[in-house]
């Protein structure tokens, strides 16, 4: 058996029973692929079910308010994926009459759909002979063929796509593509791959040359930036608080948060007070206290957020405020959602 045949044989025996594998409906396959980008299957599964229940069709998703989409997405991170998801649904409805394109090129023209997602939908739903190349596939191909070209380099991306096309099974592209990804997730895992029981072990270059732990190769990661967030949690006598919506192109665009002061370092109360006075949207307060003595470190891909929550009690009635028992209705970053759960009013 050749490489592709061995992958298919393994897949028939070891494939997991996942809901999006029981359908060829492009909407559901696309939904699962966007959710599973940078998300483990176990974490993504509940979100898939939530979205399918809330938005059974692409029309339902397209017509939903953005806040509802962001709220359902809350906790998955990388919120640009949710905004692109919403934009793509509108595009499919408005430009394609609710029908996903059936070609790789047509799918790739949709917002938020790149090479991998277009290849996945095209092959899973329409049997288009287009190879998928995700993190799992990079790992399998890199180890099996002993390729040390960085997978996140321009050269590497082109090389592995070409290699994937050469070894794929054109006649059963749907199962082959799902099989090689499953193989990378389970058999040829990032850590502690099951090499002794691997059907590819006899021809695996990495195993033969003792390079399993060093392949695939990645270029140096982007330097992590430290940021210091001070959230101002206003509370009046009516148990109201103030939320604001994040604008601009930074992290958490269009999500809600408490008024924020970002600083160059961790602040003490006496350093924060004059900065609060400069904020026009924060009324006079009677008491200021730090909720968490140690900053909560929230790690994003290229940023570490050192976060402090400050409680500001005021006798001033927050006319534009939101009742504390209603803030669960707003889409917020998981960092703030976790804080809200712990604060007892």
């Amino acid at each position: 058996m050749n490489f592709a045949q061995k992958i298919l044989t393994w897949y028939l025996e070891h494939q997991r029973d996942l809901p999006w594998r029981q359908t060829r409906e492009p909407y559901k396959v696309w939904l699962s692929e966007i959710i599973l980008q940078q998300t483990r299957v176990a974490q993504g599964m509940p979100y898939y079910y939530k979205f399918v229940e809330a938005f059974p069709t692409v029309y339902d998703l397209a017509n939903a308010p953005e806040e509802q989409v962001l709220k359902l997405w809350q906790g998955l991170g990388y919120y640009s994926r949710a905004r692109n998801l919403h934009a793509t649904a509108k595009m499919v409805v408005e430009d394609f009459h609710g029908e996903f394109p059936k070609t790789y090129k047509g799918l790739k023209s949709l917002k938020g759909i790149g090479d991998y997602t277009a290849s996945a939908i095209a092959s899973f739903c329409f049997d288009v002979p287009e190879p998928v190349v995700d993190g799992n596939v990079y790992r399998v191909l890199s180890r099996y063929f002993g390729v040390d070209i960085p997978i996140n380099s321009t050269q590497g991306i082109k090389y592995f796509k070409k290699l994937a096309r050469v070894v794929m099974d054109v006649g059963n592209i749907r199962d082959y593509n799902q099989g090689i990804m499953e193989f990378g997730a389970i058999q040829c895992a990032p850590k502690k791959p099951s090499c002794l029981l691997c059907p590819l072990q006899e021809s695996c270059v990495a195993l033969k040359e003792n390079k399993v732990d060093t392949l695939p190769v990645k270029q140096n990661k982007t330097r992590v930036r430290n940021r210091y967030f001070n959230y101002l949690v206003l509370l009046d006598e009516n148990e109201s608080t103030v939320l604001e919506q994040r604008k601009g192109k930074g992290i958490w665009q269009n999500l809600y948060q408490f008024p924020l002061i970002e600083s160059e370092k961790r602040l003490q109360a006496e350093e924060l007070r004059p900065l609060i006075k400069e904020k026009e949207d924060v009324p006079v307060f009677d008491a200021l206290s730090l909720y968490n003595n140690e900053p909560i470190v929230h790690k994003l891909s290229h940023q570490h957020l050192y976060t402090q929550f400050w409680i500001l009690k005021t006798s001033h009635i927050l006319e534009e405020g939101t009742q504390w028992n209603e803030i669960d209705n707003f889409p917020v970053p998981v960092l703030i959602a976790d804080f809200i759960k712990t604060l007892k009013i």
Side-chain angles (χ1 to χ4, degrees), residues 70-89:
L70 291 173
K71 182 63 181 176
L72 279 179
W73 193 270
Q74 186 172 300
L76 268 180
Y78 299 96
Y79 287 88
S80 60
R81 289 187 293 163
R83 290 189 294 273
N84 284 340
L85 187 84
H86 197 208
T88 303

Side-chain angles (χ1 to χ4, degrees), residues 108-126:
K108 204 161 179 281
S109 71
L110 298 174
K111 184 177 178 64
I113 292 187
D115 170 72
Y116 163 74
T117 307
S119 299
I121 298 171
S123 61
F124 298 167
C125 302
F126 309 117

Side-chain angles (χ1 to χ4, degrees), residues 204-268:
C204 179
V205 174
L207 185 61
K208 193 179 299 182
E209 298 181 359
N210 198 27
K211 292 182 178 178
V212 173
D213 292 336
T214 59
L215 292 176
V217 173
K218 271 191 175 182
Q219 289 178 333
N220 292 336
K221 292 183 178 179
T222 307
R223 183 170 170 267
V224 173
R225 172 189 173 198
N226 290 334
R227 300 175 71 180
Y228 298 86
F229 280 14
N230 298 274
Y231 283 116
L232 310 179
V233 185
L234 283 151
L235 291 172
D236 69 11
E237 295 172 354
N238 295 334
E239 296 185 357
S240 288
T241 189
V242 171
L243 291 176
E244 60 185 21
Q245 193 172 28
R246 286 185 68 93
K247 299 296 183 181
K249 292 293 184 182
I251 59 170
W252 303 331
Q253 181 184 348
N254 294 347
L255 297 186
Y256 286 81
Q257 64 180 12
F258 300 107
L260 171 66
I261 291 176
E262 185 170 353
S263 54
E264 295 295 321
K265 62 182 181 68
R266 182 179 173 185
L267 297 181
Q268 302 298 322

Side-chain angles (χ1 to χ4, degrees), residues 39-106:
T39 304
R40 292 176 293 105
V41 167
Q43 183 189 7
M45 185 90 77
Y47 285 89
Y48 173 80
Y49 283 122
K50 280 196 300 184
F51 267 82
V52 169
E53 182 181 358
F55 314 119
T57 70
V58 70
Y59 288 96
D60 296 309
L61 178 55
N63 293 328
E66 184 183 76
E67 283 191 16
Q68 184 186 4
V69 177
L70 291 173
K71 182 63 181 176
L72 279 179
W73 193 270
Q74 186 172 300
L76 268 180
Y78 299 96
Y79 287 88
S80 60
R81 289 187 293 163
R83 290 189 294 273
N84 284 340
L85 187 84
H86 197 208
T88 303
K90 291 180 178 179
M91 194 174 177
V92 170
V93 168
E94 294 168 7
D95 299 344
F96 296 91
H97 310 291
E99 297 288 335
F100 279 78
K102 296 182 179 181
T103 65
Y104 167 83
K105 187 176 180 181

Side-chain angles (χ1 to χ4, degrees), residues 168-228:
M168 71 182 180
D169 188 301
V170 175
N172 191 358
I173 191 65
R174 183 173 190 260
D175 283 350
Y176 170 75
N177 273 345
Q178 298 205 60
I180 191 170
M181 290 193 294
E182 190 84 326
F183 190 87
I186 298 175
Q187 187 78 37
C188 195
K191 297 177 182 178
K192 298 182 180 178
S194 185
C195 295
L196 292 177
L197 301 174
C198 179
L200 302 178
Q201 64 168 279
E202 290 182 5
S203 307
C204 179
V205 174
L207 185 61
K208 193 179 299 182
E209 298 181 359
N210 198 27
K211 292 182 178 178
V212 173
D213 292 336
T214 59
L215 292 176
V217 173
K218 271 191 175 182
Q219 289 178 333
N220 292 336
K221 292 183 178 179
T222 307
R223 183 170 170 267
V224 173
R225 172 189 173 198
N226 290 334
R227 300 175 71 180
Y228 298 86

